[in-house]
Amino acid sequence: MTVDPRWQHELEAPTEQFFGSFAAQLAQPDGVRDGVREAVKALAPRIDWEAYLPHVPHGILGLRAVLRLQPLLSEAGFRRALATQLHMAAHEGRRSPQNLAQVSAAKGSGQWRNLEAFIQSRRPGLAYAEAQGFDVPAEDDFQRLRGLTELDMATVGHKAVVCDHLADLHARLERPKATGRRLFGLAAWVAATPEDTFWARRAAKRLGDAAVSVPWVPATLGEAAWESQVREICDLGLVALLDPFTARLKAGQGSGDTLAALVLAASEKQLDARRDLEGKTAWTYVYLAAVARARPADPRIWCQAAALVNLFPTDEPEERVRAAHIGEPDAGALTEAILDVEPALAMAHAGGLARTGRAEAALAALAEAAAQDDPTFNHAHQVLAVAAAADLLPELPPPAGEAMLVALAKSLANSQGSGDLGRLADRALAAARP
């Protein structure tokens, strides 16, 4: 592992030289991998996670999203997105030096019985310390931790998402020991914060003692059947929604049709989102993608997903932005429409690309647009949502995939912030190239 000393210094105390130092790190062998490893190792214990409660900061969480989007991005877009995401993580609120020293030095015995006890008794500091005692956390350790959080929807499902994304980030960084302990400790800390099992308990009451399992099978229904489920998810109250939703799961509806209905409903909610709620509403895709990656059989988890989508407001159809009329859809024009804040035009290009078998090109155009934006402005919701769409798209029937891409195009166009930070990163990265 090779880390440039200038990069280490910037992680300890960021300055105006942040992007130049990151560019120097990229010049090292395995510069991206080792630079992100060092960032996680340095920043995880420094960020004041407790001060953000009941929310979760997205600096480190968004790193997984950027790495997930790398195959869809140009080299310049990937480097820009990674640089600005690391900048966001490095500038999140920090603990005092005294607390930092205590947290960094604390190390438990690395035993699951202790870790589970600290999570169940809601002692995040001790959970973090106990997790530092694990030698090299394995995928199974992250998944076991996720199992302790799957029915806990505090902070709208962040706990399960954190466990899932940090496990994936660990794998993408090739499972380094020290960085893995930091990621595992962070996931354990979040898992041990106050819980909220309200939705899971409401679902369990309706499921009763029936042995219900949701099989992972492809979608078999058509658009009319999905639309009737969308109407229930979007229009009914929580109590009224859970009755038909649990009835369908009891009747044997599988994951494919359930996920399709949830994504279609989430896309409708995204079309209805006010500009100040674009990013928060897009979080539903992040949670749904984490559910799809876990492939749960437990129907309560699917009920939680329905309740989360239902949580966001629904508007009248005539109030929604409509896609413009265009000729040939074009991926470059899609990115340009988003950056020019033209949602109707962006929707038209995204939908046209999806309908003509070019959904992957539409996804790449969305990723390039997200890479232009300052993640601090939108809490990294843009890269998180597009990475979620990349995870979801292979699991969806074409109508649901198209609806998701169209809704995200509208969301990204309506939530454009400053690109100044990205331009600073571009200049520093370009200046460092031979």
Side-chain angles (χ1 to χ4, degrees):
M1 180 168 164
T2 307
V3 182
D4 191 290
R6 289 168 289 182
W7 180 234
Q8 291 176 313
H9 174 75
E10 287 298 323
L11 294 171
E12 292 171 4
T15 71
E16 293 181 354
Q17 302 305 313
F18 186 89
F19 292 129
S21 299
F22 179 60
Q25 171 59 34
L26 290 183
Q28 301 295 326
D30 296 314
V32 168
R33 185 199 67 183
D34 293 348
V36 177
R37 283 180 174 183
E38 186 67 19
V40 171
K41 188 172 68 174
L43 297 176
R46 282 178 163 83
I47 296 171
D48 191 356
W49 303 95
E50 188 172 7
Y52 282 90
L53 289 175
H55 306 292
V56 176
H58 286 171
I60 290 178
L61 195 64
L63 291 174
R64 182 266 170 186
V66 175
L67 293 177
R68 171 64 181 87
L69 293 175
Q70 183 176 7
L72 296 169
L73 289 166
S74 63
E75 182 182 4
F78 170 68
R79 287 174 172 241
R80 180 195 311 114
L82 185 59
T84 55
Q85 189 65 43
L86 286 164
H87 186 273
M88 175 186 180
H91 285 80
E92 285 178 327
R94 300 191 174 205
R95 293 177 179 271
S96 69
Q98 181 180 5
N99 284 340
L100 171 61
Q102 292 171 350
V103 172
S104 299
K107 185 175 181 180
S109 59
Q111 297 186 40
W112 264 105
R113 67 174 181 273
N114 293 339
L115 183 56
E116 290 182 351
F118 294 143
I119 291 172
Q120 291 164 359
S121 60
R122 303 298 148 198
R123 290 184 281 181
L126 291 176
Y128 179 92
E130 188 66 26
Q132 300 313 292
F134 284 71
D135 185 28
V136 183
E139 174 69 20
D140 288 346
D141 291 316
F142 280 97
Q143 294 309 319
R144 183 171 176 178
L145 191 59
R146 180 192 171 118
L148 299 175
T149 69
E150 283 185 320
L151 300 179
D152 184 348
M153 289 295 286
T155 62
V156 289
H158 268 80
K159 292 187 178 184
V161 170
V162 165
C163 292
D164 175 62
H165 283 209
L166 297 190
D168 189 62
L169 178 58
H170 187 215
R172 290 176 186 275
L173 297 177
E174 301 174 18
R175 296 186 169 86
K177 180 183 292 188
T179 305
R181 284 199 296 267
R182 291 288 195 263
L183 291 170
F184 190 58
L186 175 54
W189 191 95
V190 173
T193 56
E195 68 175 349
D196 182 356
T197 59
F198 177 82
W199 287 341
R201 286 182 280 116
R202 298 286 76 72
K205 181 179 180 180
R206 285 157 179 78
L207 292 164
D209 297 328
V212 182
S213 180
V214 182
W216 190 264
V217 293
T220 59
L221 300 175
E223 294 185 57
W226 295 325
E227 177 59 23
S228 67
Q229 297 187 44
V230 169
R231 295 276 52 81
E232 293 167 357
I233 296 168
C234 288
D235 299 341
L236 298 179
L238 176 63
V239 172
L241 156 68
L242 288 177
D243 290 336
F245 193 86
T246 53
R248 285 195 174 87
L249 298 184
K250 283 182 176 182
Q253 178 166 289
S255 63
D257 288 309
T258 305
L259 185 63
L262 288 168
V263 169
L264 286 165
S267 299
E268 184 170 306
K269 294 283 188 175
Q270 192 71 64
L271 292 178
D272 288 340
R274 302 193 315 263
R275 294 188 71 164
D276 60 321
L277 290 179
E278 293 284 5
K280 291 181 180 178
T281 307
W283 175 257
T284 56
Y285 294 121
V286 182
Y287 183 75
L288 290 174
V291 169
R293 282 164 52 80
R295 302 192 170 196
D298 190 333
R300 293 173 295 176
I301 296 171
W302 292 97
C303 291
Q304 288 177 164
L308 177 62
V309 176
N310 175 264
L311 177 68
F312 292 91
T314 298
D315 206 347
E316 296 300 326
E318 57 269 18
E319 299 296 326
R320 294 177 192 142
V321 178
R322 300 289 180 182
H325 295 288
I326 60 171
E328 180 68 20
D330 179 78
L334 170 54
T335 300
E336 185 177 339
I338 291 171
L339 298 178
D340 287 343
V341 194
E342 296 184 277
L345 190 57
M347 292 165 64
H349 283 288
L353 288 167
R355 284 191 299 276
T356 54
R358 292 177 285 171
E360 192 77 8
L363 192 60
L366 297 179
E368 285 290 348
Q372 298 275 348
D373 213 22
D374 179 352
T376 306
F377 174 78
N378 54 56
H379 307 288
H381 278 129
Q382 290 196 350
V383 292
L384 286 166
V386 179
D391 288 336
L392 284 167
L393 196 58
E395 310 291 348
L396 297 174
E402 178 186 338
M404 176 179 66
L405 294 173
V406 169
L408 278 177
K410 173 260 182 183
S411 177
L412 266 61
N414 266 351
S415 58
Q416 284 300 298
S418 171
D420 290 347
L421 193 66
R423 284 187 282 274
L424 286 175
D426 284 341
R427 283 198 290 270
L429 292 167
R433 295 183 76 91

Short mmCIF file of all heavy atoms in Angstrom, two decimals, residues 359-420:
data_model
loop_
_atom_site.label_atom_id
_atom_site.label_comp_id
_atom_site.label_asym_id
_atom_site.label_seq_id
_atom_site.Cartn_x
_atom_site.Cartn_y
_atom_site.Cartn_z
N ALA A 359 -31.06 1.54 -22.22
CA ALA A 359 -31.19 1.94 -20.82
C ALA A 359 -29.82 2.15 -20.17
O ALA A 359 -29.64 3.05 -19.35
CB ALA A 359 -31.99 0.90 -20.04
N GLU A 360 -28.84 1.32 -20.54
CA GLU A 360 -27.50 1.47 -19.97
C GLU A 360 -26.88 2.80 -20.38
O GLU A 360 -26.18 3.45 -19.58
CB GLU A 360 -26.62 0.32 -20.43
CG GLU A 360 -25.31 0.20 -19.68
CD GLU A 360 -25.45 -0.43 -18.30
OE1 GLU A 360 -26.54 -0.92 -17.97
OE2 GLU A 360 -24.45 -0.42 -17.56
N ALA A 361 -27.14 3.25 -21.60
CA ALA A 361 -26.63 4.55 -22.04
C ALA A 361 -27.29 5.68 -21.26
O ALA A 361 -26.64 6.67 -20.90
CB ALA A 361 -26.87 4.73 -23.54
N ALA A 362 -28.59 5.53 -21.00
CA ALA A 362 -29.28 6.53 -20.18
C ALA A 362 -28.70 6.58 -18.78
O ALA A 362 -28.48 7.66 -18.20
CB ALA A 362 -30.77 6.22 -20.13
N LEU A 363 -28.42 5.41 -18.22
CA LEU A 363 -27.84 5.33 -16.87
C LEU A 363 -26.47 6.00 -16.84
O LEU A 363 -26.15 6.74 -15.90
CB LEU A 363 -27.75 3.87 -16.46
CG LEU A 363 -27.44 3.57 -15.00
CD1 LEU A 363 -28.49 4.15 -14.07
CD2 LEU A 363 -27.34 2.05 -14.80
N ALA A 364 -25.67 5.75 -17.86
CA ALA A 364 -24.35 6.39 -17.92
C ALA A 364 -24.46 7.90 -18.03
O ALA A 364 -23.67 8.65 -17.43
CB ALA A 364 -23.56 5.82 -19.10
N ALA A 365 -25.44 8.38 -18.78
CA ALA A 365 -25.65 9.84 -18.90
C ALA A 365 -26.07 10.44 -17.57
O ALA A 365 -25.62 11.54 -17.21
CB ALA A 365 -26.71 10.12 -19.97
N LEU A 366 -26.91 9.74 -16.82
CA LEU A 366 -27.29 10.20 -15.49
C LEU A 366 -26.07 10.24 -14.58
O LEU A 366 -25.90 11.18 -13.78
CB LEU A 366 -28.35 9.29 -14.89
CG LEU A 366 -29.71 9.20 -15.59
CD1 LEU A 366 -30.62 8.22 -14.86
CD2 LEU A 366 -30.38 10.57 -15.68
N ALA A 367 -25.21 9.23 -14.68
CA ALA A 367 -24.01 9.19 -13.84
C ALA A 367 -23.08 10.35 -14.14
O ALA A 367 -22.53 10.98 -13.23
CB ALA A 367 -23.29 7.85 -14.04
N GLU A 368 -22.89 10.66 -15.44
CA GLU A 368 -22.03 11.79 -15.79
C GLU A 368 -22.59 13.10 -15.25
O GLU A 368 -21.84 13.97 -14.79
CB GLU A 368 -21.87 11.88 -17.32
CG GLU A 368 -20.94 10.82 -17.91
CD GLU A 368 -19.48 11.03 -17.54
OE1 GLU A 368 -19.12 12.11 -17.02
OE2 GLU A 368 -18.69 10.10 -17.78
N ALA A 369 -23.90 13.26 -15.28
CA ALA A 369 -24.51 14.47 -14.74
C ALA A 369 -24.31 14.55 -13.23
O ALA A 369 -23.98 15.61 -12.68
CB ALA A 369 -25.99 14.51 -15.09
N ALA A 370 -24.50 13.42 -12.54
CA ALA A 370 -24.33 13.40 -11.09
C ALA A 370 -22.88 13.71 -10.71
O ALA A 370 -22.63 14.33 -9.67
CB ALA A 370 -24.75 12.04 -10.53
N ALA A 371 -21.93 13.28 -11.54
CA ALA A 371 -20.52 13.51 -11.25
C ALA A 371 -20.14 14.99 -11.33
O ALA A 371 -19.11 15.40 -10.81
CB ALA A 371 -19.64 12.70 -12.20
N GLN A 372 -20.97 15.80 -11.98
CA GLN A 372 -20.69 17.23 -12.12
C GLN A 372 -21.03 18.02 -10.87
O GLN A 372 -20.50 19.10 -10.64
CB GLN A 372 -21.50 17.80 -13.29
CG GLN A 372 -21.20 17.20 -14.64
CD GLN A 372 -20.02 17.86 -15.33
OE1 GLN A 372 -19.55 18.91 -14.90
NE2 GLN A 372 -19.54 17.24 -16.38
N ASP A 373 -21.92 17.48 -10.06
CA ASP A 373 -22.50 18.26 -8.96
C ASP A 373 -21.67 18.13 -7.69
O ASP A 373 -20.99 17.12 -7.46
CB ASP A 373 -23.93 17.78 -8.69
CG ASP A 373 -24.83 18.89 -8.23
OD1 ASP A 373 -24.52 20.06 -8.48
OD2 ASP A 373 -25.86 18.59 -7.60
N ASP A 374 -21.74 19.15 -6.85
CA ASP A 374 -21.07 19.13 -5.56
C ASP A 374 -21.88 18.24 -4.62
O ASP A 374 -23.02 18.57 -4.27
CB ASP A 374 -21.00 20.56 -5.01
CG ASP A 374 -20.34 20.65 -3.65
OD1 ASP A 374 -20.06 19.60 -3.04
OD2 ASP A 374 -20.11 21.78 -3.17
N PRO A 375 -21.34 17.10 -4.14
CA PRO A 375 -22.14 16.20 -3.30
C PRO A 375 -22.53 16.82 -1.96
O PRO A 375 -23.54 16.43 -1.37
CB PRO A 375 -21.22 14.99 -3.11
CG PRO A 375 -19.84 15.51 -3.35
CD PRO A 375 -19.99 16.58 -4.39
N THR A 376 -21.75 17.78 -1.49
CA THR A 376 -22.09 18.43 -0.22
C THR A 376 -23.41 19.18 -0.34
O THR A 376 -24.19 19.25 0.61
CB THR A 376 -20.97 19.40 0.20
OG1 THR A 376 -19.74 18.70 0.22
CG2 THR A 376 -21.25 19.98 1.58
N PHE A 377 -23.68 19.72 -1.54
CA PHE A 377 -24.91 20.49 -1.75
C PHE A 377 -26.15 19.62 -1.59
O PHE A 377 -27.17 20.06 -1.06
CB PHE A 377 -24.87 21.11 -3.15
CG PHE A 377 -26.15 21.80 -3.56
CD1 PHE A 377 -26.45 23.07 -3.09
CD2 PHE A 377 -27.06 21.17 -4.40
CE1 PHE A 377 -27.63 23.71 -3.45
CE2 PHE A 377 -28.24 21.80 -4.77
CZ PHE A 377 -28.52 23.07 -4.30
N ASN A 378 -26.08 18.37 -2.06
CA ASN A 378 -27.26 17.50 -2.03
C ASN A 378 -27.07 16.26 -1.16
O ASN A 378 -27.76 15.26 -1.34
CB ASN A 378 -27.64 17.09 -3.46
CG ASN A 378 -26.48 16.46 -4.20
OD1 ASN A 378 -25.92 15.48 -3.73
ND2 ASN A 378 -26.10 17.02 -5.34
N HIS A 379 -26.11 16.31 -0.22
CA HIS A 379 -25.86 15.20 0.70
C HIS A 379 -25.53 13.90 -0.05
O HIS A 379 -25.86 12.81 0.42
CB HIS A 379 -27.04 14.99 1.64
CG HIS A 379 -27.45 16.22 2.38
ND1 HIS A 379 -26.70 16.78 3.40
CD2 HIS A 379 -28.51 17.05 2.22
CE1 HIS A 379 -27.29 17.87 3.85
NE2 HIS A 379 -28.39 18.07 3.15
N ALA A 380 -24.91 14.03 -1.23
CA ALA A 380 -24.53 12.88 -2.07
C ALA A 380 -25.73 12.09 -2.54
O ALA A 380 -25.57 10.96 -3.02
CB ALA A 380 -23.53 11.98 -1.34
N HIS A 381 -26.94 12.65 -2.45
CA HIS A 381 -28.12 11.91 -2.88
C HIS A 381 -28.08 11.57 -4.36
O HIS A 381 -28.61 10.54 -4.78
CB HIS A 381 -29.39 12.72 -2.57
CG HIS A 381 -29.83 12.59 -1.15
ND1 HIS A 381 -30.11 13.69 -0.35
CD2 HIS A 381 -30.05 11.51 -0.37
CE1 HIS A 381 -30.48 13.28 0.84
NE2 HIS A 381 -30.46 11.97 0.86
N GLN A 382 -27.46 12.42 -5.17
CA GLN A 382 -27.45 12.14 -6.61
C GLN A 382 -26.64 10.90 -6.93
O GLN A 382 -27.11 10.01 -7.64
CB GLN A 382 -26.92 13.36 -7.37
CG GLN A 382 -27.89 14.55 -7.36
CD GLN A 382 -27.54 15.57 -8.43
OE1 GLN A 382 -26.50 15.50 -9.06
NE2 GLN A 382 -28.42 16.54 -8.62
N VAL A 383 -25.39 10.81 -6.45
CA VAL A 383 -24.59 9.63 -6.76
C VAL A 383 -25.16 8.39 -6.09
O VAL A 383 -25.12 7.29 -6.65
CB VAL A 383 -23.10 9.83 -6.39
CG1 VAL A 383 -22.45 10.85 -7.29
CG2 VAL A 383 -22.92 10.18 -4.93
N LEU A 384 -25.72 8.54 -4.89
CA LEU A 384 -26.33 7.40 -4.22
C LEU A 384 -27.52 6.87 -5.02
O LEU A 384 -27.68 5.65 -5.18
CB LEU A 384 -26.78 7.80 -2.81
CG LEU A 384 -25.67 7.97 -1.77
CD1 LEU A 384 -26.22 8.70 -0.54
CD2 LEU A 384 -25.07 6.63 -1.37
N ALA A 385 -28.35 7.77 -5.53
CA ALA A 385 -29.54 7.35 -6.27
C ALA A 385 -29.18 6.71 -7.60
O ALA A 385 -29.77 5.69 -8.00
CB ALA A 385 -30.47 8.54 -6.49
N VAL A 386 -28.21 7.28 -8.32
CA VAL A 386 -27.83 6.71 -9.62
C VAL A 386 -27.15 5.35 -9.43
O VAL A 386 -27.38 4.41 -10.21
CB VAL A 386 -26.95 7.68 -10.42
CG1 VAL A 386 -26.55 7.06 -11.75
CG2 VAL A 386 -27.68 9.00 -10.66
N ALA A 387 -26.33 5.22 -8.39
CA ALA A 387 -25.72 3.92 -8.10
C ALA A 387 -26.80 2.90 -7.75
O ALA A 387 -26.70 1.72 -8.13
CB ALA A 387 -24.71 4.04 -6.96
N ALA A 388 -27.83 3.33 -7.02
CA ALA A 388 -28.94 2.44 -6.71
C ALA A 388 -29.65 2.00 -7.98
O ALA A 388 -30.04 0.83 -8.13
CB ALA A 388 -29.91 3.13 -5.76
N ALA A 389 -29.84 2.93 -8.91
CA ALA A 389 -30.48 2.59 -10.18
C ALA A 389 -29.65 1.57 -10.95
O ALA A 389 -30.19 0.66 -11.59
CB ALA A 389 -30.68 3.84 -11.02
N ALA A 390 -28.32 1.69 -10.88
CA ALA A 390 -27.45 0.72 -11.54
C ALA A 390 -27.62 -0.66 -10.93
O ALA A 390 -27.58 -1.68 -11.64
CB ALA A 390 -25.99 1.17 -11.43
N ASP A 391 -27.81 -0.73 -9.61
CA ASP A 391 -28.06 -2.01 -8.95
C ASP A 391 -29.44 -2.57 -9.30
O ASP A 391 -29.60 -3.78 -9.48
CB ASP A 391 -27.97 -1.84 -7.43
CG ASP A 391 -26.55 -1.61 -6.93
OD1 ASP A 391 -25.60 -2.03 -7.64
OD2 ASP A 391 -26.38 -1.02 -5.86
N LEU A 392 -30.42 -1.70 -9.40
CA LEU A 392 -31.80 -2.14 -9.61
C LEU A 392 -32.11 -2.54 -11.05
O LEU A 392 -32.90 -3.46 -11.29
CB LEU A 392 -32.77 -1.03 -9.18
CG LEU A 392 -32.98 -0.84 -7.68
CD1 LEU A 392 -33.71 0.48 -7.42
CD2 LEU A 392 -33.78 -2.01 -7.09
N LEU A 393 -31.53 -1.85 -12.01
CA LEU A 393 -31.93 -2.01 -13.40
C LEU A 393 -31.93 -3.46 -13.89
O LEU A 393 -32.89 -3.88 -14.54
CB LEU A 393 -31.06 -1.13 -14.30
CG LEU A 393 -31.57 -0.89 -15.72
CD1 LEU A 393 -32.95 -0.23 -15.71
CD2 LEU A 393 -30.59 -0.01 -16.49
N PRO A 394 -30.90 -4.26 -13.58
CA PRO A 394 -30.93 -5.65 -14.07
C PRO A 394 -32.03 -6.50 -13.45
O PRO A 394 -32.37 -7.56 -13.99
CB PRO A 394 -29.54 -6.19 -13.67
CG PRO A 394 -28.70 -4.99 -13.41
CD PRO A 394 -29.64 -3.95 -12.90
N GLU A 395 -32.60 -6.06 -12.33
CA GLU A 395 -33.62 -6.83 -11.63
C GLU A 395 -35.03 -6.46 -12.06
O GLU A 395 -35.99 -7.09 -11.60
CB GLU A 395 -33.49 -6.62 -10.11
CG GLU A 395 -32.10 -6.80 -9.54
CD GLU A 395 -31.63 -8.25 -9.58
OE1 GLU A 395 -32.47 -9.14 -9.84
OE2 GLU A 395 -30.43 -8.49 -9.37
N LEU A 396 -35.19 -5.45 -12.90
CA LEU A 396 -36.51 -4.90 -13.19
C LEU A 396 -37.00 -5.26 -14.58
O LEU A 396 -36.21 -5.30 -15.53
CB LEU A 396 -36.47 -3.37 -13.05
CG LEU A 396 -36.14 -2.80 -11.68
CD1 LEU A 396 -35.99 -1.29 -11.76
CD2 LEU A 396 -37.23 -3.17 -10.66
N PRO A 397 -38.31 -5.43 -14.74
CA PRO A 397 -38.88 -5.51 -16.09
C PRO A 397 -38.77 -4.14 -16.77
O PRO A 397 -38.72 -3.11 -16.08
CB PRO A 397 -40.34 -5.91 -15.84
CG PRO A 397 -40.63 -5.44 -14.45
CD PRO A 397 -39.34 -5.57 -13.69
N PRO A 398 -38.72 -4.09 -18.10
CA PRO A 398 -38.47 -2.82 -18.81
C PRO A 398 -39.37 -1.66 -18.41
O PRO A 398 -38.86 -0.53 -18.25
CB PRO A 398 -38.65 -3.21 -20.28
CG PRO A 398 -38.25 -4.65 -20.33
CD PRO A 398 -38.74 -5.23 -19.04
N PRO A 399 -40.68 -1.84 -18.21
CA PRO A 399 -41.49 -0.66 -17.84
C PRO A 399 -41.06 -0.02 -16.52
O PRO A 399 -41.05 1.21 -16.39
CB PRO A 399 -42.91 -1.22 -17.74
CG PRO A 399 -42.90 -2.44 -18.61
CD PRO A 399 -41.54 -3.02 -18.43
N ALA A 400 -40.69 -0.84 -15.54
CA ALA A 400 -40.25 -0.29 -14.26
C ALA A 400 -38.88 0.37 -14.40
O ALA A 400 -38.64 1.44 -13.81
CB ALA A 400 -40.20 -1.40 -13.20
N GLY A 401 -37.99 -0.23 -15.18
CA GLY A 401 -36.69 0.39 -15.40
C GLY A 401 -36.81 1.73 -16.10
O GLY A 401 -36.13 2.70 -15.73
N GLU A 402 -37.67 1.81 -17.10
CA GLU A 402 -37.86 3.08 -17.81
C GLU A 402 -38.42 4.15 -16.87
O GLU A 402 -37.95 5.30 -16.86
CB GLU A 402 -38.82 2.87 -18.99
CG GLU A 402 -39.11 4.15 -19.75
CD GLU A 402 -40.16 3.96 -20.84
OE1 GLU A 402 -40.37 2.81 -21.29
OE2 GLU A 402 -40.77 4.98 -21.24
N ALA A 403 -39.43 3.78 -16.08
CA ALA A 403 -40.02 4.75 -15.16
C ALA A 403 -38.99 5.29 -14.19
O ALA A 403 -38.96 6.49 -13.88
CB ALA A 403 -41.19 4.11 -14.41
N MET A 404 -38.13 4.42 -13.70
CA MET A 404 -37.08 4.83 -12.76
C MET A 404 -36.11 5.81 -13.41
O MET A 404 -35.76 6.84 -12.82
CB MET A 404 -36.34 3.59 -12.25
CG MET A 404 -35.17 3.90 -11.34
SD MET A 404 -34.34 2.38 -10.76
CE MET A 404 -33.67 1.73 -12.30
N LEU A 405 -35.66 5.51 -14.62
CA LEU A 405 -34.70 6.39 -15.30
C LEU A 405 -35.32 7.75 -15.61
O LEU A 405 -34.66 8.79 -15.47
CB LEU A 405 -34.22 5.71 -16.59
CG LEU A 405 -33.37 4.44 -16.39
CD1 LEU A 405 -33.11 3.77 -17.73
CD2 LEU A 405 -32.07 4.74 -15.67
N VAL A 406 -36.58 7.76 -16.03
CA VAL A 406 -37.26 9.02 -16.32
C VAL A 406 -37.39 9.86 -15.05
O VAL A 406 -37.13 11.08 -15.04
CB VAL A 406 -38.64 8.75 -16.95
CG1 VAL A 406 -39.48 10.03 -17.01
CG2 VAL A 406 -38.48 8.16 -18.35
N ALA A 407 -37.80 9.21 -13.95
CA ALA A 407 -37.97 9.94 -12.69
C ALA A 407 -36.64 10.48 -12.19
O ALA A 407 -36.57 11.61 -11.66
CB ALA A 407 -38.62 9.03 -11.65
N LEU A 408 -35.57 9.71 -12.33
CA LEU A 408 -34.26 10.18 -11.88
C LEU A 408 -33.75 11.32 -12.75
O LEU A 408 -33.09 12.24 -12.26
CB LEU A 408 -33.26 9.03 -11.87
CG LEU A 408 -33.29 8.12 -10.65
CD1 LEU A 408 -32.30 6.98 -10.80
CD2 LEU A 408 -33.01 8.92 -9.38
N ALA A 409 -34.05 11.28 -14.05
CA ALA A 409 -33.66 12.39 -14.92
C ALA A 409 -34.32 13.68 -14.47
O ALA A 409 -33.68 14.75 -14.40
CB ALA A 409 -34.03 12.07 -16.37
N LYS A 410 -35.60 13.60 -14.15
CA LYS A 410 -36.31 14.78 -13.64
C LYS A 410 -35.71 15.24 -12.31
O LYS A 410 -35.49 16.44 -12.08
CB LYS A 410 -37.80 14.43 -13.47
CG LYS A 410 -38.64 15.51 -12.78
CD LYS A 410 -38.88 15.18 -11.32
CE LYS A 410 -39.75 16.21 -10.63
NZ LYS A 410 -39.94 15.93 -9.19
N SER A 411 -35.40 14.28 -11.43
CA SER A 411 -34.87 14.61 -10.11
C SER A 411 -33.51 15.29 -10.21
O SER A 411 -33.26 16.32 -9.56
CB SER A 411 -34.76 13.33 -9.27
OG SER A 411 -34.18 13.61 -8.01
N LEU A 412 -32.62 14.74 -11.03
CA LEU A 412 -31.30 15.33 -11.16
C LEU A 412 -31.37 16.72 -11.78
O LEU A 412 -30.64 17.64 -11.38
CB LEU A 412 -30.39 14.43 -12.00
CG LEU A 412 -29.51 13.44 -11.22
CD1 LEU A 412 -30.35 12.47 -10.39
CD2 LEU A 412 -28.61 12.66 -12.17
N ALA A 413 -32.24 16.90 -12.76
CA ALA A 413 -32.38 18.22 -13.39
C ALA A 413 -32.90 19.25 -12.41
O ALA A 413 -32.51 20.42 -12.46
CB ALA A 413 -33.30 18.13 -14.61
N ASN A 414 -33.77 18.83 -11.51
CA ASN A 414 -34.39 19.76 -10.57
C ASN A 414 -33.55 20.00 -9.32
O ASN A 414 -33.93 20.82 -8.49
CB ASN A 414 -35.77 19.25 -10.14
CG ASN A 414 -36.88 19.83 -10.99
OD1 ASN A 414 -36.67 20.73 -11.77
ND2 ASN A 414 -38.08 19.30 -10.82
N SER A 415 -32.47 19.27 -9.16
CA SER A 415 -31.68 19.41 -7.93
C SER A 415 -30.23 19.77 -8.23
O SER A 415 -29.34 19.41 -7.47
CB SER A 415 -31.75 18.11 -7.12
OG SER A 415 -31.28 17.00 -7.87
N GLN A 416 -30.01 20.48 -9.33
CA GLN A 416 -28.65 20.90 -9.67
C GLN A 416 -28.15 21.96 -8.69
O GLN A 416 -28.85 22.92 -8.37
CB GLN A 416 -28.62 21.46 -11.09
CG GLN A 416 -28.67 20.39 -12.17
CD GLN A 416 -27.51 19.44 -12.07
OE1 GLN A 416 -26.36 19.83 -12.20
NE2 GLN A 416 -27.81 18.18 -11.81
N GLY A 417 -26.95 21.74 -8.22
CA GLY A 417 -26.30 22.73 -7.36
C GLY A 417 -25.09 23.30 -8.06
O GLY A 417 -24.96 23.25 -9.28
N SER A 418 -24.16 23.78 -7.28
CA SER A 418 -22.95 24.38 -7.84
C SER A 418 -22.01 23.30 -8.37
O SER A 418 -21.84 22.24 -7.75
CB SER A 418 -22.23 25.20 -6.77
OG SER A 418 -20.96 25.60 -7.22
N GLY A 419 -21.39 23.59 -9.51
CA GLY A 419 -20.35 22.72 -10.04
C GLY A 419 -18.96 23.26 -9.80
O GLY A 419 -17.98 22.74 -10.35
N ASP A 420 -18.85 24.31 -8.96
CA ASP A 420 -17.56 24.97 -8.76
C ASP A 420 -16.53 24.01 -8.15
O ASP A 420 -15.36 24.02 -8.55
CB ASP A 420 -17.71 26.19 -7.84
CG ASP A 420 -18.47 27.32 -8.51
OD1 ASP A 420 -18.65 27.25 -9.75
OD2 ASP A 420 -18.88 28.26 -7.81
#
